[in-house]
Amino acid sequence: MSRQHIVVAECRDGELRRVTLEAIAAARACMADGDRLAAVLPLDGGADAGAAEALAQRGVDEVIVVDHPVLGRYAPETHVAALLAAATALAPETRWWLGHTAIGRDLAPRLAARLGAGQVSDAIGAARGGDGRIVFTRALHAGKALEQRAFLMDAPAVVTVRPNNFAPAEAIAGAAAPIRSVPFDPPISRVVVRDVVQRVSGTVDLAEARVIIAGGRGVKSAAGFGPLAELAALLGGAVGASRGACDAGYCDYALQIGQTGKTVTPDLYIACGISGAVQHLAGMSRSRVIVAINKDPDAPIFGIADYGIVGDLFEVVPALIAELSGE
Ligand code: FAD
């Protein structure tokens, strides 16, 4: 039996978000022979049209574009209606895949309720079981326990995948899946988004950064984050923070990493003056290489660090900057 999988694409500044490519990879890992994969792209009057071509190269069978000016700003009712419009062009018994982003988290339960489908939130793993099921893995209790949920292959489901937990689908040379538009007559929305005020936290998106320089209470002041930002810029990365640093007012909560902040899995995570509380580890322990700089040799962060530097961050970080910038 052929099943339909649909990835809901998200763009930022006209570019596909990395988590969309990760959701494609997660969907593909769960597909059986004969299953089909579509990507749905809600567009704002064609503003992100290049994203449709980019999607068409990522190993999907088709790209469905829902294009309407009301989709320029996210509003739950109109976006759910746009996805349902796309679904009418596809087989009804469907698995939907979204990024576990602010928008994905909001859309998924609404979509599941409208479709009468089951829902899995924040999956960090997804694989085909040998018994006709798809098995999803989720992290519980700040990452101290893992839960597995099995869905029948044929059961409709809406899944959100946690960013940075699946290798993103690469562009396939010569691939060009068909792109088609579906008509969309938006409902009268009870919600009107008049303005979107975005916090600017740096040039690199923290959730998708490959290098993160994170500071904790040991950084001691907002000015103390200056050298961390300099190091991040040298490495093409982003600055993050512990809750201790955010609570102390050294930086904005948008930078907080951990159980109640962002979850990140960069290639390189440098923790400066962060003790390594379990709630912080919940957001960064799956980073590929962890470097800890702390003057306390007994700090718990050293327990998960690949490289530990016992020292004063106000000496170590400038030394790293000098080394990297060839001064
Ligand atoms: P501290 O624990 O105070 O550590 C500071 C470290 O800096 C120390 O290890 C010290 O040795 C070192 N240091 C000091 N000076 C220097 C120097 N000059 N050079 C080098 N090292 C130095 N925390 C999070 O981070 N993220 C979360 O999402 C989060 N969610 C939470 C949710 C709940 C429900 C609760 C209860 C707590 C949560 N916390 C979270 C808070 C968490 O428990 C810790 O309090 C917090 O992570 C501590 O931040 P810190 O490591 O920066 O500060």
Side-chain angles (χ1 to χ4, degrees), residues 203-240:
T203 49
V204 181
D205 180 4
L206 183 57
E208 299 185 358
R210 304 322 302 154
V211 175
I212 292 176
I213 315 297
R217 210 161 1 222
V219 175
K220 295 193 172 63
S221 68
F225 270 82
L228 274 60
E230 202 180 328
L231 183 57
L234 272 172
L235 295 170
V239 173

Side-chain angles (χ1 to χ4, degrees), residues 292-299 302 307-313 315-316:
I293 304 170
N294 198 303
K295 64 182 185 184
D296 175 5
D298 297 322
F302 288 125
Y307 299 94
I309 302 173
V310 179
D312 187 332
L313 70 93
E315 293 169 10
V316 177

Side-chain angles (χ1 to χ4, degrees), residues 215-220 241-247 256-262 272-283 293-297 299-301 309 311-315:
R217 210 161 1 222
V219 175
K220 295 193 172 63
S242 70
R243 181 156 139 187
C246 299
D247 284 347
Q256 184 184 320
I257 291 165
Q259 183 184 338
T260 43
K262 292 195 166 71
C272 308
I274 294 178
S275 59
V278 65
Q279 295 90 353
H280 186 76
L281 304 188
I293 304 170
N294 198 303
K295 64 182 185 184
D296 175 5
I301 190 82
I309 302 173
D312 187 332
L313 70 93
F314 296 105
E315 293 169 10

Side-chain angles (χ1 to χ4, degrees), residues 42-132:
L43 275 189
D44 160 21
D48 298 328
E53 274 97 58
L55 271 176
Q57 298 166 359
R58 304 291 172 146
V60 300
D61 295 301
E62 66 177 322
V63 178
I64 297 184
V65 172
V66 193
D67 192 352
H68 196 285
V70 297
L71 298 172
R73 281 184 181 157
Y74 176 73
E77 286 170 310
T78 41
H79 270 69
V80 169
L83 297 182
L84 293 174
T88 56
L90 297 162
E93 70 290 347
T94 304
R95 271 132 301 277
W96 292 78
W97 300 82
L98 301 89
H100 195 71
T101 60
I103 289 178
R105 284 198 297 255
D106 193 54
L107 271 178
R110 296 170 189 274
L111 192 59
R114 292 288 293 272
L115 296 169
Q119 201 212 323
V120 179
S121 279
D122 204 15
I124 61 169
R128 278 172 65 198
D131 53 357

Side-chain angles (χ1 to χ4, degrees), residues 123-152:
I124 61 169
R128 278 172 65 198
D131 53 357
R133 291 165 196 262
I134 299 179
V135 180
F136 299 101
T137 306
R138 300 174 66 238
L140 302 179
H141 306 303
K144 281 192 278 226
L146 295 179
E147 174 196 61
Q148 293 202 315
R149 288 195 191 178
F151 270 58
L152 292 172

